[in-house]
Amino acid sequence: MKIAIGSDHGGFALKQEVIKHLTDRGIEVTDKGCYDEKSCDYPIYAKEVTSAVTSGEADYGILICGTGIGMSITANKVKGIRAALCHDNFSAQATREHNNANVLCMGARVIGAGHALMIVDTFLDTPFSNDERHVRRISMIEE
Ligand code: RB5
């Protein structure tokens, strides 16, 4: 499994923790920036990560900003991206099973790192249900 990850300054510290966690799990992670805590613009990194997902370079994307909201708004403008803002495990599991979400967004100012890492694991470890009604609804989104 290959992951592309990105953040703005607000999500930088949590991004580093997620990268370490995934690397420790043996998962290949590409860091698309930002690379320090200097103020920067989250749409730049949302574009980098979503391009990696739509091109097939990455299986999933992870985007982190202060709230996760700016990242999710931006990511969902890209055709083929289904970005889910998750701050709880239930949502992370449900969005994989029901929406086949391919990008996880989180807010570093909203949840702690321990909780965020559990959400990352739940998101990456939960398969899409492939249930007919969910496949139909995702096709409707694409249309
Ligand atoms: C940056 O201050 C903050 O606006 C950003 O990280 C994010 O929360 C935007 O949605």
Side-chain angles (χ1 to χ4, degrees):
M1 181 190 293
K2 291 182 184 169
I3 306 298
I5 191 166
S7 76
D8 71 355
H9 53 289
F12 175 78
L14 179 57
K15 172 166 67 71
Q16 302 317 110
E17 296 211 40
V18 173
I19 291 170
K20 183 182 179 314
H21 178 72
L22 294 178
T23 306
D24 288 349
R25 277 192 56 178
I27 294 173
E28 195 180 322
V29 191
T30 307
D31 185 359
K32 300 288 186 181
C34 64
Y35 301 111
D36 57 39
E37 289 189 309
K38 273 205 296 281
S39 182
C40 61
D41 301 325
Y42 57 81
I44 295 169
Y45 307 100
K47 187 177 176 198
E48 289 292 326
V49 167
T50 54
S51 295
V53 173
T54 56
S55 71
E57 177 195 327
D59 300 301
Y60 299 106
I62 299 177
L63 287 167
I64 307 170
C65 61
T67 59
I69 296 171
M71 287 296 199
S72 58
I73 290 172
T74 313
N76 277 313
K77 300 223 173 280
V78 178
K79 190 163 174 56
I81 292 297
R82 294 175 300 281
L85 175 59
C86 297
H87 290 133
D88 65 275
N89 263 317
F90 175 80
S91 299
Q93 181 181 329
T95 197
R96 287 289 310 122
E97 288 175 345
H98 293 207
N99 314 119
N100 199 12
N102 50 13
V103 173
L104 170 65
C105 300
M106 296 184 293
R109 295 174 186 159
V110 182
I111 50 170
H115 194 181
L117 298 181
M118 282 179 65
I119 289 168
V120 166
D121 285 342
T122 299
F123 185 89
L124 297 182
D125 296 343
T126 304
F128 177 48
S129 68
N130 252 312
D131 186 286
E132 186 277 326
R133 70 191 195 281
H134 296 312
V135 171
R136 180 180 70 244
R137 290 164 190 162
I138 291 166
S139 302
M140 290 170 76
I141 296 172
E142 293 306 314
E143 283 165 27

Short mmCIF file of all heavy atoms in Angstrom, two decimals, residues 49-83:
data_model
loop_
_atom_site.label_atom_id
_atom_site.label_comp_id
_atom_site.label_asym_id
_atom_site.label_seq_id
_atom_site.Cartn_x
_atom_site.Cartn_y
_atom_site.Cartn_z
N VAL A 49 -1.32 16.06 -3.13
CA VAL A 49 -1.73 14.73 -2.64
C VAL A 49 -2.85 14.14 -3.51
O VAL A 49 -2.81 12.96 -3.87
CB VAL A 49 -2.15 14.81 -1.15
CG1 VAL A 49 -2.88 13.55 -0.71
CG2 VAL A 49 -0.92 15.06 -0.28
N THR A 50 -3.82 14.97 -3.90
CA THR A 50 -4.91 14.43 -4.72
C THR A 50 -4.39 14.03 -6.10
O THR A 50 -4.86 13.04 -6.67
CB THR A 50 -6.09 15.42 -4.84
OG1 THR A 50 -5.61 16.68 -5.31
CG2 THR A 50 -6.79 15.61 -3.50
N SER A 51 -3.41 14.75 -6.64
CA SER A 51 -2.82 14.36 -7.93
C SER A 51 -2.15 12.99 -7.81
O SER A 51 -2.23 12.17 -8.72
CB SER A 51 -1.77 15.38 -8.39
OG SER A 51 -2.38 16.60 -8.64
N ALA A 52 -1.49 12.76 -6.68
CA ALA A 52 -0.84 11.45 -6.47
C ALA A 52 -1.88 10.34 -6.44
O ALA A 52 -1.65 9.24 -6.95
CB ALA A 52 -0.02 11.48 -5.18
N VAL A 53 -3.05 10.61 -5.87
CA VAL A 53 -4.09 9.58 -5.79
C VAL A 53 -4.74 9.37 -7.17
O VAL A 53 -4.88 8.23 -7.62
CB VAL A 53 -5.15 9.95 -4.73
CG1 VAL A 53 -6.34 8.99 -4.77
CG2 VAL A 53 -4.52 9.97 -3.33
N THR A 54 -5.10 10.45 -7.85
CA THR A 54 -5.79 10.27 -9.14
C THR A 54 -4.86 9.69 -10.20
O THR A 54 -5.31 8.99 -11.11
CB THR A 54 -6.43 11.59 -9.65
OG1 THR A 54 -5.41 12.59 -9.74
CG2 THR A 54 -7.54 12.06 -8.75
N SER A 55 -3.56 9.93 -10.09
CA SER A 55 -2.62 9.38 -11.08
C SER A 55 -2.27 7.92 -10.79
O SER A 55 -1.67 7.25 -11.63
CB SER A 55 -1.32 10.20 -11.08
OG SER A 55 -0.60 9.95 -9.89
N GLY A 56 -2.62 7.43 -9.59
CA GLY A 56 -2.29 6.06 -9.23
C GLY A 56 -0.94 5.92 -8.54
O GLY A 56 -0.54 4.82 -8.15
N GLU A 57 -0.25 7.05 -8.37
CA GLU A 57 1.03 7.01 -7.65
C GLU A 57 0.82 6.54 -6.20
O GLU A 57 1.67 5.86 -5.63
CB GLU A 57 1.66 8.42 -7.67
CG GLU A 57 2.94 8.56 -6.89
CD GLU A 57 3.31 10.04 -6.65
OE1 GLU A 57 3.01 10.90 -7.51
OE2 GLU A 57 3.89 10.31 -5.59
N ALA A 58 -0.33 6.92 -5.63
CA ALA A 58 -0.67 6.51 -4.26
C ALA A 58 -2.04 5.85 -4.25
O ALA A 58 -2.91 6.19 -5.05
CB ALA A 58 -0.67 7.72 -3.34
N ASP A 59 -2.21 4.89 -3.32
CA ASP A 59 -3.52 4.25 -3.16
C ASP A 59 -4.47 5.15 -2.39
O ASP A 59 -5.67 5.22 -2.69
CB ASP A 59 -3.35 2.93 -2.40
CG ASP A 59 -2.43 1.97 -3.13
OD1 ASP A 59 -2.76 1.62 -4.28
OD2 ASP A 59 -1.38 1.60 -2.58
N TYR A 60 -3.94 5.83 -1.38
CA TYR A 60 -4.75 6.74 -0.55
C TYR A 60 -3.94 7.99 -0.24
O TYR A 60 -2.70 7.97 -0.25
CB TYR A 60 -5.13 6.09 0.79
CG TYR A 60 -5.95 4.85 0.66
CD1 TYR A 60 -5.40 3.60 0.88
CD2 TYR A 60 -7.31 4.92 0.30
CE1 TYR A 60 -6.15 2.44 0.75
CE2 TYR A 60 -8.07 3.77 0.17
CZ TYR A 60 -7.49 2.54 0.39
OH TYR A 60 -8.24 1.40 0.26
N GLY A 61 -4.68 9.07 0.07
CA GLY A 61 -4.05 10.30 0.51
C GLY A 61 -4.46 10.63 1.93
O GLY A 61 -5.55 10.25 2.38
N ILE A 62 -3.58 11.32 2.63
CA ILE A 62 -3.91 11.84 3.97
C ILE A 62 -3.55 13.32 3.96
O ILE A 62 -2.44 13.70 3.54
CB ILE A 62 -3.12 11.10 5.08
CG1 ILE A 62 -3.49 9.61 5.07
CG2 ILE A 62 -3.40 11.74 6.44
CD1 ILE A 62 -2.70 8.77 6.09
N LEU A 63 -4.52 14.16 4.37
CA LEU A 63 -4.33 15.61 4.38
C LEU A 63 -4.64 16.17 5.76
O LEU A 63 -5.71 15.86 6.32
CB LEU A 63 -5.23 16.27 3.33
CG LEU A 63 -4.80 16.05 1.88
CD1 LEU A 63 -5.92 16.46 0.92
CD2 LEU A 63 -3.53 16.85 1.58
N ILE A 64 -3.75 16.98 6.28
CA ILE A 64 -3.92 17.51 7.64
C ILE A 64 -3.70 19.02 7.62
O ILE A 64 -2.68 19.50 7.10
CB ILE A 64 -2.91 16.87 8.62
CG1 ILE A 64 -2.98 15.33 8.54
CG2 ILE A 64 -3.16 17.35 10.04
CD1 ILE A 64 -1.86 14.62 9.28
N CYS A 65 -4.68 19.75 8.15
CA CYS A 65 -4.48 21.19 8.39
C CYS A 65 -4.95 21.46 9.82
O CYS A 65 -5.07 20.52 10.61
CB CYS A 65 -5.17 22.06 7.33
SG CYS A 65 -6.96 21.90 7.22
N GLY A 66 -5.22 22.71 10.16
CA GLY A 66 -5.62 23.01 11.53
C GLY A 66 -6.94 22.33 11.89
O GLY A 66 -7.06 21.68 12.93
N THR A 67 -7.91 22.50 11.01
CA THR A 67 -9.23 21.92 11.24
C THR A 67 -9.53 20.71 10.38
O THR A 67 -10.47 19.96 10.67
CB THR A 67 -10.32 22.96 10.91
OG1 THR A 67 -10.15 23.33 9.52
CG2 THR A 67 -10.21 24.20 11.78
N GLY A 68 -8.80 20.55 9.29
CA GLY A 68 -9.11 19.52 8.28
C GLY A 68 -10.14 20.01 7.27
O GLY A 68 -10.36 19.37 6.25
N ILE A 69 -10.76 21.14 7.56
CA ILE A 69 -11.88 21.61 6.72
C ILE A 69 -11.37 22.17 5.40
O ILE A 69 -11.89 21.82 4.32
CB ILE A 69 -12.73 22.64 7.47
CG1 ILE A 69 -13.39 22.01 8.69
CG2 ILE A 69 -13.80 23.23 6.54
CD1 ILE A 69 -14.07 22.99 9.63
N GLY A 70 -10.36 23.04 5.45
CA GLY A 70 -9.83 23.61 4.21
C GLY A 70 -9.31 22.52 3.28
O GLY A 70 -9.55 22.55 2.06
N MET A 71 -8.63 21.54 3.84
CA MET A 71 -8.10 20.43 3.05
C MET A 71 -9.25 19.64 2.42
O MET A 71 -9.18 19.27 1.23
CB MET A 71 -7.26 19.49 3.91
CG MET A 71 -5.91 20.04 4.29
SD MET A 71 -4.86 20.29 2.84
CE MET A 71 -3.24 20.38 3.64
N SER A 72 -10.31 19.37 3.18
CA SER A 72 -11.39 18.54 2.63
C SER A 72 -12.18 19.30 1.57
O SER A 72 -12.54 18.72 0.54
CB SER A 72 -12.30 18.00 3.73
OG SER A 72 -12.87 19.03 4.48
N ILE A 73 -12.41 20.59 1.79
CA ILE A 73 -13.11 21.39 0.77
C ILE A 73 -12.31 21.36 -0.53
O ILE A 73 -12.86 21.14 -1.62
CB ILE A 73 -13.31 22.84 1.25
CG1 ILE A 73 -14.33 22.89 2.39
CG2 ILE A 73 -13.75 23.75 0.09
CD1 ILE A 73 -14.44 24.26 3.06
N THR A 74 -11.01 21.57 -0.43
CA THR A 74 -10.16 21.63 -1.62
C THR A 74 -10.08 20.27 -2.31
O THR A 74 -10.25 20.17 -3.53
CB THR A 74 -8.74 22.11 -1.24
OG1 THR A 74 -8.84 23.25 -0.41
CG2 THR A 74 -7.93 22.43 -2.48
N ALA A 75 -9.83 19.24 -1.54
CA ALA A 75 -9.64 17.90 -2.13
C ALA A 75 -10.88 17.45 -2.87
O ALA A 75 -10.80 16.83 -3.94
CB ALA A 75 -9.28 16.90 -1.02
N ASN A 76 -12.07 17.77 -2.32
CA ASN A 76 -13.31 17.30 -2.95
C ASN A 76 -13.66 18.05 -4.23
O ASN A 76 -14.64 17.70 -4.89
CB ASN A 76 -14.45 17.35 -1.94
CG ASN A 76 -14.44 16.11 -1.07
OD1 ASN A 76 -14.31 14.99 -1.56
ND2 ASN A 76 -14.54 16.28 0.24
N LYS A 77 -12.88 19.05 -4.60
CA LYS A 77 -13.08 19.72 -5.89
C LYS A 77 -12.43 18.93 -7.03
O LYS A 77 -12.64 19.23 -8.20
CB LYS A 77 -12.50 21.13 -5.87
CG LYS A 77 -13.14 22.02 -4.82
CD LYS A 77 -13.41 23.40 -5.35
CE LYS A 77 -14.20 24.22 -4.35
NZ LYS A 77 -15.64 23.90 -4.38
N VAL A 78 -11.61 17.94 -6.68
CA VAL A 78 -10.87 17.18 -7.70
C VAL A 78 -11.68 15.95 -8.10
O VAL A 78 -12.10 15.16 -7.24
CB VAL A 78 -9.49 16.74 -7.14
CG1 VAL A 78 -8.72 15.91 -8.15
CG2 VAL A 78 -8.68 17.98 -6.72
N LYS A 79 -11.92 15.80 -9.41
CA LYS A 79 -12.72 14.67 -9.90
C LYS A 79 -12.04 13.35 -9.53
O LYS A 79 -10.83 13.19 -9.70
CB LYS A 79 -12.87 14.77 -11.42
CG LYS A 79 -13.88 13.79 -11.97
CD LYS A 79 -14.35 14.15 -13.36
CE LYS A 79 -15.24 13.06 -13.96
NZ LYS A 79 -16.41 12.72 -13.14
N GLY A 80 -12.82 12.44 -9.00
CA GLY A 80 -12.28 11.13 -8.62
C GLY A 80 -11.85 11.07 -7.17
O GLY A 80 -11.55 9.99 -6.67
N ILE A 81 -11.82 12.24 -6.52
CA ILE A 81 -11.43 12.24 -5.10
C ILE A 81 -12.68 12.22 -4.23
O ILE A 81 -13.64 12.96 -4.45
CB ILE A 81 -10.56 13.48 -4.77
CG1 ILE A 81 -9.20 13.38 -5.47
CG2 ILE A 81 -10.39 13.64 -3.26
CD1 ILE A 81 -8.33 12.20 -5.04
N ARG A 82 -12.65 11.33 -3.24
CA ARG A 82 -13.69 11.29 -2.21
C ARG A 82 -12.97 11.46 -0.88
O ARG A 82 -12.42 10.50 -0.32
CB ARG A 82 -14.46 9.95 -2.28
CG ARG A 82 -15.27 9.80 -3.58
CD ARG A 82 -15.92 8.44 -3.71
NE ARG A 82 -14.94 7.37 -3.71
CZ ARG A 82 -14.20 7.02 -4.77
NH1 ARG A 82 -14.36 7.65 -5.91
NH2 ARG A 82 -13.32 6.04 -4.67
N ALA A 83 -12.91 12.71 -0.45
CA ALA A 83 -12.16 13.05 0.76
C ALA A 83 -13.12 13.10 1.95
O ALA A 83 -14.18 13.72 1.87
CB ALA A 83 -11.46 14.39 0.58
#
